[in-house]
Amino acid sequence: MLPKCPSLRQLAAVFALGFACAPVAVHAAGNQALITGKIDETQLVALTGNVRPEANARNDRGPVGDSVAFNHLQLLLQRPPAAEAALDAWLDAAQTPGNSNYHQWLTAEQLGEQYGPNPSDIATVSAWLTAHGFQVNGVSPTGLFIDFSGTAGQIAATFKTEIHALDVNGEHHFGNMSNPQIPAALAPAIAGIVSLNDFQPHPMAKMVSKPTALAPMQQASPAYTTDTGYLALVPADLATIYNFNPVYRSGLMGKGQSIVLIEDTDLYSNADYATFRHTFGLNAYKDSTFSVVHPGGCADPGVLVGNDFEAAVDVEWAAASAPDASIVLASCADTQTNFGGFIALQSLLESRTPPAIISISYGECEAALGPSFNRYVSLLYQLATAEGSSVYVASGDEGAASCDANEEAAQYGISVNGYASTPYNLAAGGTDYSDFYSGTTSQYWSPTNSATYGSALSYIPEMPWNDSCSNSTVSNYFGYPLYGSGSLCNLGYFLGVIAGSGGPSGCAYGATNPLPNTPAISGSCRGYDKPIWQKFIAGNPNDGVRDIPDVSMFASNGFWSHYYVVCYSDPANQGVPCDTAPEDWAGGGGTSFVAPILSGVQALVNQKTGFRQGNPDYAYYAFATQEYGSRGNPACNSNNGANACIFHDVTFGDNVVDCTGPFNCYDPSGEYGALSVSSKKYRPSYTAGTGWDFTTGIGTVNVAALVSAWAAVR
């Protein structure tokens, strides 16, 4: 008799070995009405956790005018609990080989019909909004988003919260000063509002950083890749290091596949993309096309300075990974209250032809987003997964302190990127190469470049990407203590919250105050539940929550002499013309590069298998569980160099960043401490180890081995 699927402990074997199993039917639950009582405007409940941390008395500059218009707000609705549970079971079944629902994807309309809110609830909430003077612009096919517009005065009268102007470190913003309130009768059906503030996510890409404070960091061998002493990665290097070349030689370059890069800007120059392809030989692949689209007729954002570097990174390195795939930059202008990239994504997912591969390299602290916006992100990615789309998201560039992006030191403790922490996306982490640290550079890099500027000789051992002074590898390299008054941080070297991000989901479902380590929160935040595919991987803690990252690749922006080349000519943001050798071009790093590169890998998989694959985490974790077993696999250790494993297990280094203050900061002496699980003793947040870990997830990818294993799944 065939075993039933999915058995959680059998899931890895089902994927890796491809054995058959008896199908298990998953049926949609009846979508019962959740609004059963009469609406009483005097009986109100708060939608808690929906005030930005910046909306405080110190930043408050008074209410905006009642007539200020807010267009295209989103009221999020709830599914009935039984429908939510049935959908979760269906999503697992759709990723289980042998199940009758395996890869039987849904449309947005089918998702709404089978698992959406009851139509009577949608009608009741829509009528309530209209009765309060709002314009209802439409309801999404899933039934979960009601698009509406109104004024600040209508918002105050209806949701009992004022919108105030804010001055945040000299920047003008606005936001609601208290939690929105709704009638208690509607509460079972309403999840929240997206959103009542204008805070936008930040792009993850980091411009190249070449340390100058301590001389030894500058002394890479001068003949490798560039004549500046830095090893600038180009597409040919990527293909060599991560073993793309056997896949390319087999005829798989992404032909017939499309990769959609989600943005809120256009490229500074489309010619930069063409130059990148020409310089590195990618224009030899003639089936690839490049297009810029504004889905659903949204406003063209034009060029958003700064974010346009992110867009250049995304399109160029997706193409570097899958050179014959079509590259689609999907951009919408930010609205007053929503990220333009998500406007584009929602329109694409609700279209008749949703994309098969999606890459997102923006982020925001999970806790600061609040439960409504986290729910919005989660619902978008869940819809993508149900449609068979694979969503890759940059895990972040702040170590385990994503609430402190671009700061000199972490203040708010351990936190993650809410754009990457859902169970419905792959969170792409970052590494650096350890050859400079170990003095083996000449072993891995040729003294000359190829015609397309490649010089890498083989796979290179890796460590977590970390530019911070609290990084154990840099402290060891220069002979300084990790913490205390004599540490590099307290001597003023390499301060900054810059490292590949990872940590446990901690505040996807928030409460009174959006920052988890402020007294008002009182422990009321909680993270996303741990998904089934993450429960049995060696090294993953039994913490009950979603942990990131999932998979990593090189992401350094030059700290240990390695960085990525980018053709980016915007002079307003340190761009330079791409009319000389690539060593003189712009460069950078960050997990922003990893998400589009892994999206390109997905294009190779989809071409090989002939099908869209949905959430890639199921396959990645199944293969890793099979490969690592219960205790890890020494044969796969990255320190040993090239091997036949699907994953390179990165086992030394950390993503610890410098910190100040009382939250998750071990600081025995001096101004700066090291991010730690405990503030009373040093428990670093976090270190690499055997199997899965918070620094690089399950490690980095041997692309040829991954594509081969995926193709063998029935």
Side-chain angles (χ1 to χ4, degrees):
M1 179 179 293
L2 294 173
K4 288 186 177 181
C5 293
S7 166
L8 301 187
R9 292 191 180 276
Q10 292 171 343
L11 187 60
V14 171
F15 252 100
L17 302 181
F19 65 71
C21 50
V24 176
V26 178
H27 301 288
N31 295 352
Q32 75 273 21
L34 299 178
I35 301 172
T36 57
K38 182 179 179 181
I39 298 174
D40 182 346
E41 299 284 351
T42 67
Q43 300 295 315
L44 303 176
V45 296
L47 299 172
T48 58
N50 287 281
V51 180
R52 289 283 308 196
E54 299 88 351
N56 56 48
R58 183 180 69 253
N59 297 331
D60 189 1
R61 299 298 180 268
V64 302
D66 283 352
S67 62
V68 173
F70 292 89
N71 298 315
H72 297 292
L73 301 169
Q74 300 276 335
L75 193 66
L76 309 185
L77 300 188
Q78 301 271 31
R79 292 188 180 91
E84 192 74 48
L87 176 57
D88 286 342
W90 179 86
L91 290 171
D92 289 339
Q95 290 288 358
T96 304
N99 191 284
S100 58
N101 288 307
Y102 182 57
H103 286 186
Q104 298 299 306
W105 311 118
L106 301 175
T107 65
E109 289 78 7
Q110 289 171 328
L111 194 69
E113 292 167 1
Q114 298 181 42
Y115 301 101
N118 187 287
S120 68
D121 287 345
I122 298 172
T124 298
V125 174
S126 297
W128 175 73
L129 288 170
T130 301
H132 281 271
F134 292 105
Q135 177 180 326
V136 174
N137 304 310
V139 179
S140 69
T142 64
L144 294 170
F145 310 129
I146 299 178
D147 184 299
F148 70 105
S149 301
T151 65
Q154 290 169 331
I155 291 169
T158 305
F159 295 104
K160 316 304 179 187
T161 182
E162 291 187 343
I163 310 296
H164 283 212
L166 305 171
D167 185 339
V168 183
N169 298 322
E171 294 183 356
H172 297 295
H173 288 279
F174 67 80
N176 54 304
M177 302 302 291
S178 61
N179 285 307
Q181 298 181 61
I182 57 173
L186 299 179
I190 295 178
I193 308 170
V194 174
S195 65
L196 299 178
N197 65 73
D198 68 343
F199 291 90
Q200 299 292 351
H202 58 278
M204 294 297 182
K206 301 290 185 185
M207 300 291 279
V208 67
S209 174
K210 299 177 179 179
T212 58
L214 295 175
M217 200 64 74
Q218 304 176 59
Q219 296 175 359
S221 299
Y224 299 95
T225 302
T226 78
D227 61 7
T228 61
Y230 286 86
L231 305 174
L233 262 74
V234 300
D237 296 322
L238 181 79
T240 296
I241 295 167
Y242 293 110
N243 205 25
F244 283 80
N245 288 322
V247 181
Y248 295 159
R249 287 193 293 268
S250 73
L252 298 175
M253 277 83 73
K255 181 179 179 179
Q257 309 303 311
S258 294
I259 304 169
V260 176
L261 295 311
I262 299 298
E263 313 288 348
D264 66 348
T265 180
D266 297 339
L267 292 178
Y268 172 73
S269 169
N270 289 359
D272 285 351
Y273 175 77
T275 299
F276 183 90
R277 290 190 67 97
H278 174 76
T279 301
F280 299 120
L282 307 182
N283 60 342
Y285 303 100
K286 303 299 185 183
D287 293 298
S288 176
T289 61
F290 174 67
S291 58
V292 178
V293 300
H294 311 300
C298 69
D300 183 343
V303 176
L304 192 57
V305 176
N307 290 20
D308 61 340
F309 178 67
E310 179 63 66
V313 167
D314 292 346
V315 298
E316 290 174 9
W317 283 92
S321 181
D324 217 13
S326 292
I327 304 299
V328 181
L329 189 159
S331 65
C332 291
D334 298 329
T335 66
Q336 298 160 294
T337 59
N338 200 0
F339 171 47
F342 281 160
I343 296 169
L345 177 61
Q346 185 173 341
S347 293
L348 288 169
L349 295 175
E350 293 175 356
S351 72
R352 293 184 178 274
T353 55
I357 305 169
I358 298 162
S359 177
I360 301 171
S361 292
Y362 292 77
E364 174 65 286
C365 164
E366 185 183 66
L369 288 174
S372 292
F373 208 98
N374 283 322
R375 177 68 172 164
Y376 176 59
V377 176
S378 178
L379 288 173
L380 286 177
Y381 296 175
Q382 185 189 60
L383 170 58
T385 296
E387 294 176 331
S389 303
S390 301
V391 182
Y392 288 85
V393 186
S395 68
D397 300 347
E398 306 86 31
S402 287
C403 289
D404 292 287
N406 302 313
E407 297 294 336
E408 183 177 83
Q411 302 178 57
Y412 296 114
I414 296 170
S415 54
V416 296
N417 172 16
Y419 280 40
S421 63
T422 86
Y424 307 112
N425 64 275
L426 185 144
T431 66
D432 204 339
Y433 298 128
S434 63
D435 56 306
F436 187 99
Y437 174 80
S438 61
T440 57
T441 300
S442 61
Q443 181 178 334
Y444 298 104
W445 300 90
S446 168
T448 58
N449 294 321
S450 70
T452 53
Y453 298 94
S455 58
L457 298 173
S458 69
Y459 174 73
I460 305 168
E462 295 172 89
M463 58 188 178
W465 166 48
N466 191 344
D467 290 2
S468 170
C469 51
S470 290
N471 179 358
S472 61
T473 54
V474 71
S475 296
N476 292 337
Y477 187 87
F478 289 113
Y480 286 86
L482 293 174
Y483 44 77
S485 56
S487 67
L488 284 168
C489 298
N490 285 302
L491 294 175
Y493 293 119
F494 311 135
L495 289 166
V497 183
I498 305 175
S501 286
S505 174
C507 206
Y509 311 104
T512 16
N513 187 299
L515 286 178
N517 287 318
T518 53
I521 202 64
S522 301
S524 50
C525 275
R526 67 183 179 89
Y528 291 109
D529 292 341
K530 190 180 292 295
I532 64 167
W533 36 261
Q534 197 170 54
K535 287 187 176 182
F536 301 107
I537 181 72
N540 189 258
N542 185 24
D543 55 6
V545 297
R546 166 77 161 112
D547 298 312
I548 64 172
D550 297 310
V551 184
S552 298
M553 274 187 168
F554 173 77
S556 179
N557 61 331
F559 189 86
W560 288 101
S561 81
H562 313 80
Y563 66 90
Y564 284 102
V565 169
V566 184
C567 183
Y568 173 67
S569 60
D570 187 352
N573 188 40
Q574 304 177 55
V576 295
C578 306
D579 55 5
T580 59
E583 65 189 64
D584 298 321
W585 295 6
T591 55
S592 276
F593 287 81
V594 184
I597 289 170
L598 288 173
S599 296
V601 174
Q602 191 67 52
L604 305 179
V605 169
N606 288 12
Q607 182 186 4
K608 177 69 173 179
T609 61
F611 300 101
R612 56 173 57 211
Q613 298 291 324
N615 185 351
D617 283 311
Y618 286 87
Y620 274 98
Y621 277 87
F623 297 143
T625 299
Q626 187 74 18
E627 189 164 86
Y628 290 159
S630 60
R631 298 184 179 180
N633 185 346
C636 302
N637 194 316
S638 169
N639 297 334
N640 298 332
N643 57 61
C645 295
I646 300 173
F647 303 105
H648 310 289
D649 190 3
V650 180
T651 60
F652 94 99
D654 61 62
N655 64 355
V656 178
V657 297
D658 55 298
C659 59
T660 60
F663 306 122
N664 300 122
C665 187
Y666 181 66
D667 185 10
S669 60
E671 182 179 358
Y672 299 100
L675 197 71
S676 171
V677 175
S678 169
S679 295
K680 295 181 179 179
K681 61 181 180 180
Y682 185 55
R683 296 178 56 197
S685 304
Y686 291 99
T687 59
T690 300
W692 187 97
D693 56 63
F694 284 115
T695 65
T696 65
I698 55 182
T700 62
V701 179
N702 176 336
V703 173
L706 176 69
V707 173
S708 177
W710 214 318
V713 177
R714 292 204 296 267

